[in-house]
Amino acid sequence: MKMNLFLWFAVILCVSCSEDKDIIKKGNSMKPNTEIPAGGNSTTDNTSAKGRFTANSTIAEVISDPAFSDFGYLLFPVDRNVTRSMTLADISSSNVYVWYSHIQPEKTVEIINRLYNDAVDGNQIFYRMYSDDEIAADPTKADTGLFLFRGEVEKPFAITNAGGGFMYVGAMQDSFPHSLEISNAGFNAFALIYRPDDPYTDLAKAIEFIHDNASELGVKPDDYSLWGGSAGARMAAVLGNKAYLQQLTGRTDIPQASAVIMQYTGYNQASQYDAPTYVCVGSNDGIASWRTMQNRLQRLSAMGIPTEFHVYEGLGHGFGVGIGTVADGWVNDALKFWQKNMKTDESAGIPPVYAD
């Protein structure tokens, strides 16, 4: 029944959007297992640490590298037909990441090398949210987790949620690049790999996991933000709502997000409990109407909730961070919006974010 529901929802997503209240589920509040070992110290002869992988590296070479331990396969969509003989150039395509555009192989390579370098430097780059007992009870939870793009210690964190029509997780185009940009600005970013048929439960678990383990993770538990594109934007909006956050986590001690950053989705619910919201979308998006997104923000603004809206002429769906397009630089605008709506000023003074 649950699978049929989400297949139906994916079809609706492609033509616009519908109400989400029927798919909200109660989150699991059990203590997660944080004992995940850091990556190994794999090296390759005649290859610099900055360029361990290239566009010609295969998926098999990435997945099998000890730096990515037993979680390397989660770097790529587990619900798409991805063969291990494909190269990083091959996979950087709309044939794999359906509904996405402006996919750049060089960005894929940069992301893989960034995570690799962090791992061989001794930093943990992946965290499982669910305990071994929880995974044993429900093996589908093994295909979830958080990739950490580290910023400055004790700075606020963001959770980035890729889209994919609730059919797959398009992280390489829709959350990894965002996390990279966020971390380069000094903040910490967690890219969530979730189950397409239970996304809200997994995002709720991620928020709970980071909140409860903030000290060990080296992040500030307050003033976090939720980012998402397409289906992932719906996730961010739902968990950015204080009432839904408490319903899904079953807790009142976890603060609401300081900001929700949304891209190209037709989510149209508006509530006084919603977080400050930043939106960007293309004028030629045939899946998510910019007018629908603008209308929702106008309703939020009328309730006194801070908003910011950007529509980019000529762009379609799934442009990601927008490198090489008219949307290039939007992430910096979103970071400014997030900072303006933080409850405290502890993260002030990061020049790349405040610079105009």
Side-chain angles (χ1 to χ4, degrees):
M1 178 66 181
K2 183 169 64 175
M3 179 61 70
N4 291 336
L5 175 63
F6 278 93
L7 287 176
W8 172 86
F9 187 75
V11 174
I12 295 298
L13 177 69
C14 295
V15 295
S16 184
C17 297
S18 62
E19 299 296 315
D20 284 87
K21 60 185 178 182
D22 293 333
I23 57 178
I24 302 299
K25 297 181 177 66
K26 183 71 167 61
N28 192 314
S29 60
M30 292 180 65
K31 179 69 176 176
N33 176 21
T34 61
E35 299 300 321
I36 304 298
N41 293 312
S42 173
T43 58
T44 298
D45 292 341
N46 303 317
T47 304
S48 68
K50 293 295 182 184
R52 169 68 179 88
F53 299 101
T54 71
N56 293 322
S57 299
T58 65
I59 305 304
E61 289 172 336
V62 174
I63 291 175
S64 63
D65 194 289
F68 298 124
S69 189
D70 63 346
F71 55 79
Y73 73 102
L74 293 175
L75 290 164
F76 308 102
V78 298
D79 298 296
R80 296 287 294 155
N81 186 20
V82 176
T83 62
R84 295 196 173 198
S85 62
M86 295 176 71
T87 66
L88 295 183
D90 292 334
I91 201 172
S92 303
S93 165
S94 296
N95 292 327
V96 174
Y97 296 98
V98 292
W99 302 308
Y100 287 103
S101 60
H102 303 89
I103 303 171
Q104 301 176 326
E106 57 269 27
K107 181 57 66 173
T108 301
V109 173
E110 180 184 0
I111 289 164
I112 296 296
N113 280 324
R114 162 63 187 272
L115 290 170
Y116 170 83
N117 290 334
D118 282 355
V120 298
D121 284 344
N123 296 310
Q124 188 167 342
I125 61 171
F126 181 76
Y127 294 84
R128 296 198 182 276
M129 307 174 298
Y130 293 105
S131 68
D132 292 341
D133 289 343
E134 289 173 300
I135 292 173
D138 182 356
T140 67
K141 292 177 179 177
D143 289 342
T144 68
L146 293 158
F147 283 96
L148 173 56
F149 291 72
R150 295 179 185 277
E152 297 181 24
V153 177
E154 302 302 328
K155 293 295 184 184
F157 69 90
I159 301 177
T160 61
N161 305 279
F166 294 123
M167 293 177 66
Y168 77 103
V169 180
M172 196 59 73
Q173 168 69 356
D174 216 23
S175 64
F176 288 162
H178 303 65
S179 292
L180 181 63
E181 295 284 337
I182 294 166
S183 69
N184 286 342
F187 300 104
N188 298 283
F190 296 87
L192 173 63
I193 307 300
Y194 59 89
R195 293 167 295 167
D197 63 347
D198 208 356
Y200 299 97
T201 295
D202 289 342
L203 178 53
K205 184 69 172 184
I207 294 171
E208 188 176 8
F209 173 83
I210 298 170
H211 176 271
D212 290 346
N213 297 282
S215 296
E216 293 85 350
L217 293 167
V219 304
K220 181 183 177 184
D222 304 318
D223 281 327
Y224 67 93
S225 60
L226 299 175
W227 299 53
S230 199
R234 286 174 165 269
M235 295 166 59
V238 169
L239 269 298
N241 179 289
K242 185 176 182 180
Y244 283 147
L245 173 67
Q246 293 182 2
Q247 176 186 334
L248 284 160
T249 61
R251 295 171 58 171
T252 59
D253 60 317
I254 299 176
Q256 183 180 21
S258 291
V260 167
I261 313 298
M262 302 177 67
Q263 291 184 274
Y264 35 76
T265 193
Y267 181 80
N268 57 18
Q269 291 190 40
S271 162
Q272 61 180 321
Y273 300 111
D274 285 329
T277 303
Y278 174 103
V279 159
C280 69
V281 62
S283 65
N284 286 354
D285 195 320
I287 296 175
S289 167
W290 66 265
R291 291 179 178 86
T292 299
M293 301 191 78
Q294 184 183 53
N295 177 267
R296 177 175 181 261
L297 287 203
Q298 289 171 342
R299 290 156 62 199
L300 292 179
S301 294
M303 298 176 194
I305 297 172
T307 65
E308 187 172 329
F309 176 76
H310 296 268
V311 57
Y312 298 109
E313 185 65 31
L315 276 186
H317 195 74
F319 55 82
V321 294
I323 295 174
T325 74
V326 293
D328 201 346
W330 78 263
V331 172
N332 198 54
D333 292 335
L335 288 167
K336 291 178 184 179
F337 178 84
W338 175 20
Q339 287 183 282
K340 288 177 184 177
N341 289 285
M342 289 181 179
K343 306 299 186 297
T344 62
D345 196 36
E346 292 181 24
S347 62
I350 301 176
V353 177
Y354 282 113
D356 292 321

